[in-house]
Amino acid sequence: MVVLTGAGVSEESGLNTFRDSGGVWEKYSVEEVASIQAWQQNPQLVLDFYNKRRSDAEKAQPNGAHKAIADLEDKYDVAVITQNVDDLHERAGSTYVLHLHGELTKMRSESDEHLLYAYNKDIKLGDKAKDGGQLRPHIVWFGEAVPKMTDALGLIGCADIVIIVGTSLSVYPAASLLDFVSDGTPIYVVDPNTPNTSHLKNVIPIRKKAVEGMKELMNLLEK
Ligand code: OAD
């Protein structure tokens, strides 16, 4: 079973989505805070943005949807592929979580993506890694490669059941993962709105918020 999640799964934990009304990209311009160009041109603004997001995520608690996804492991072999950078899936108990867009609990050298440290307080300009590189959040920014895509493709291609929770499916390459779901595999979509799934087969929509929607899905899977 592969569960692909986005910002909507953490909305009921108090973390804003990106593209809904009131979402993050209404307050900030994605180019100014979440791109490699932004980091090169205005690193202070980028750090302010991620330092705030890190502390918000640290205060948030997993909700019933994160917990239901973790509980699926009682009956299924589950891989969570998330676009989220919070660690709420892990804190709810999911044991295999692949973060396509990086993790807010980690920071790294800007000159070596493998030189990682725990990100548990604000990063300041001038904070250096062991190799002398400026520390930056361990986040995949627009304009950067998505190193975990290869693993994600391998997982989704083998899935017997796919569950999508709380993503508008508007960011690539993440959204393209669904093109690799095998024929006949059911794709459950938990989202109060309708993400762009018109090109997909075997879609079973559950038009509810994540917590209620996951309850309904758990009942469906029991039948
Ligand atoms: P979006 O903000 O694009 O989409 C959020 C989705 O969650 C929408 O389909 C909403 O209808 C749905 N939603 C809202 N509240 C919900 C709730 N309580 N329960 C369930 N669903 C709910 O967020 P993502 O698709 O995650 O990337 O965005 C993908 C990427 O775009 C992010 O990882 C981020 C952003 O730019 C980077 O920063 C690299």
Side-chain angles (χ1 to χ4, degrees):
M1 175 182 278
V2 166
V3 186
L4 174 65
T5 65
V9 76
S10 296
E11 193 267 339
E12 288 159 279
S13 294
L15 299 176
N16 281 334
T17 61
F18 294 95
R19 296 175 182 78
D20 292 304
S21 158
V24 176
W25 297 150
E26 259 181 18
K27 282 190 224 134
Y28 298 90
S29 131
V30 57
E31 295 81 15
E32 280 173 15
V33 294
S35 69
I36 185 65
Q37 291 79 12
W39 176 246
Q40 286 152 358
Q41 284 157 18
N42 195 345
Q44 186 63 61
L45 188 68
V46 175
L47 287 180
D48 290 346
F49 176 72
Y50 283 99
N51 284 336
K52 168 85 170 65
R53 292 194 63 207
R54 187 206 68 79
S55 83
D56 289 347
E58 188 181 56
K59 284 176 218 138
Q61 296 303 321
N63 63 46
H66 297 106
K67 293 195 179 111
I69 291 166
D71 287 348
L72 287 168
E73 292 188 19
D74 295 344
K75 290 207 178 146
Y76 300 91
D77 184 7
V78 182
V80 176
I81 303 175
T82 186
Q83 296 163 86
N84 296 347
V85 293
D86 66 53
D87 63 348
L88 297 179
H89 284 302
E90 288 90 340
R91 281 158 56 197
S94 284
T95 58
Y96 189 96
V97 185
L98 193 149
H99 286 270
L100 283 177
H101 295 161
E103 294 171 75
L104 271 178
T105 53
K106 296 178 184 162
M107 58 186 182
R108 68 164 171 95
S109 165
E110 70 171 345
S111 22
D112 180 355
E113 65 185 293
H114 303 293
L115 191 49
L116 292 166
Y117 303 88
Y119 181 13
N120 45 25
K121 62 177 177 32
D122 284 0
I123 304 174
K124 299 193 185 65
L125 279 183
D127 289 349
K128 300 278 168 65
K130 205 174 62 186
D131 66 350
Q134 167 68 44
L135 287 170
R136 55 162 276 185
H138 182 51
I139 297 289
V140 177
W141 284 321
F142 287 96
E144 295 190 301
V146 184
K148 294 276 168 74
M149 267 307 277
T150 314
D151 290 349
L153 282 166
L155 289 166
I156 203 130
C158 301
D160 299 314
I161 303 174
V162 171
I163 299 172
I164 302 173
V165 190
T167 168
S168 61
L169 296 174
S170 50
V171 168
Y172 285 80
S176 67
L177 281 174
L178 296 169
D179 298 337
F180 297 87
V181 174
S182 304
D183 281 353
T185 302
I187 305 178
Y188 295 91
V189 180
V190 179
D191 198 302
N193 300 306
T194 312
N196 182 18
T197 52
S198 52
H199 58 301
L200 302 174
K201 290 185 200 140
N202 303 314
V203 170
I204 302 135
I206 299 177
R207 291 202 177 84
K208 294 199 167 148
K209 287 190 168 197
V211 174
E212 273 308 303
M214 280 305 300
K215 272 191 205 153
E216 185 168 322
L217 176 54
M218 301 299 261
N219 288 336
L220 277 178
L221 292 171
E222 298 268 302
K223 283 183 187 157

